Amino acid sequence: MGARRGRPGRAHRRAALGLGPARARDRLAGTGPERHRPLWRMWLLPGDGETGGVGCLVHHAAQDGVALLRTLEVVFGDRSATWKSQPRKPRPWHALGTLPDLAVTLAPAPRIAALAPAPDAERRLTWRSAPLSDLRRISAASGATIGQAHLAARPGALRHWSPTAEFTGATLPVCMPVDTRRDSEDQPAAGTLIGLMRVALPCGEPDSLRRLAAVTRAASRRKMAARRPALRALVEDLPPALGAMCLARLGNRRGVALTASSFPPVRR
């Protein structure tokens, strides 16, 4: 969702959903995949007075989060809609770096009482907000990144939402999206260059400081930097069928409990 001041013309009004931003969000999030529709759609949302909104629904195969940010920068900012193509030399042997994560997916992940009981269960939309200033203070005091502090909040939330005995002494395997773009690589507004890195959340640890320390080690900058070329090679340098099978294995709900985005700063 995005908001922009302005007065839409008649043609735009005819294309609007006729819903406010909050109701449109709930309606779009509750719809199932519509395979006969385009991979992306966009609507103007009427607001109050001079303020309106834009609703955007994009298939993940067409855009990842970074590409969506680039689209918003083109639409609402001054970013150029063109980019340079940067050839990349194939390095299929780098994909061997994903073998440890692939091996541990053979064991099924524990189910979580607070989440949907089956991969095909009905979707539920909910959220909680936390001030970014809190994460910044935790980051400054502990030496963890803001993304690591955000990720470390997950086991605490799961402990709060779940029965007391559910996570006693347990770690919870989750897959964390990792941006595989190189620092010098241009970032087009299309495509998906996200890999999945497996992280064990210390849900059995009752102490919040020790949970943060454990997550900082498990999702360290060094480990993420090592995973990026491995995950990129997995989807680009291996035979397509093999790469797709491995990536699906990394994100399979039977082998990981949930997807836990850490939202690191976008690298330019």
Side-chain angles (χ1 to χ4, degrees):
M1 294 290 177
R4 187 180 187 181
R5 296 185 64 84
R7 190 182 298 276
R10 292 180 180 178
H12 293 152
R13 285 197 181 108
R14 287 198 295 269
L17 279 175
L19 303 173
R23 289 184 59 198
R25 176 199 61 214
D26 295 341
R27 174 174 168 179
L28 293 178
T31 59
E34 299 177 281
R35 303 188 186 283
H36 62 288
R37 301 279 190 179
L39 291 181
W40 69 273
R41 285 172 282 163
M42 187 173 285
W43 299 267
L44 292 178
L45 306 176
D48 299 327
E50 296 295 321
T51 301
V54 174
C56 183
L57 185 66
V58 184
H59 196 292
H60 213 334
Q63 281 190 323
D64 58 26
V66 175
L68 179 58
L69 286 175
R70 295 294 163 262
T71 299
L72 296 177
E73 289 176 350
V74 171
V75 174
F76 296 108
D78 56 0
R79 183 180 176 87
S80 171
T82 61
W83 55 85
K84 298 177 181 178
S85 176
Q86 295 176 308
R88 174 181 164 276
K89 185 178 180 180
R91 293 180 172 85
W93 58 89
H94 282 177
L96 294 174
T98 64
L99 286 180
D101 285 353
L102 287 168
V104 291
T105 61
L106 298 175
R111 301 271 69 85
I112 305 173
L115 301 181
D120 57 351
E122 182 181 356
R123 287 182 293 177
R124 292 176 289 180
L125 176 66
T126 186
W127 64 90
R128 295 293 183 270
S129 298
L132 181 59
S133 57
D134 289 350
L135 295 178
R136 292 186 186 279
R137 282 195 293 268
I138 294 171
S139 174
S142 65
T145 66
I146 293 177
Q148 290 165 344
H150 176 267
L151 187 62
R154 296 295 181 93
L158 290 171
R159 287 177 61 87
H160 178 71
W161 293 335
S162 304
T164 304
E166 185 175 4
F167 292 125
T168 302
T171 59
L172 191 70
V174 302
C175 62
M176 184 178 70
V178 174
D179 182 14
T180 66
R181 294 167 176 84
R182 302 184 302 276
D183 290 334
S184 60
E185 188 172 26
D186 198 9
Q187 298 177 356
T192 298
L193 289 174
I194 293 294
L196 298 176
M197 173 178 168
R198 188 180 176 95
V199 176
L201 293 185
C203 292
E205 174 55 64
D207 184 81
S208 58
L209 290 178
R210 286 197 289 266
R211 287 199 300 267
L212 177 59
V215 167
T216 301
R217 292 190 299 270
S220 67
R221 293 184 180 93
R222 177 183 58 81
K223 289 184 178 180
M224 292 183 68
R227 284 295 193 281
R228 284 190 180 104
L231 291 168
R232 185 72 173 267
L234 188 70
V235 296
E236 288 196 352
D237 301 339
L238 295 184
L242 178 59
M245 180 183 69
C246 292
L247 189 61
R249 186 77 190 180
L250 288 173
N252 192 304
R253 275 278 305 273
R254 291 171 177 81
V256 293
L258 52 85
T259 300
S261 299
S262 66
F263 296 101
V266 176
R267 293 174 293 123
R268 295 188 179 275

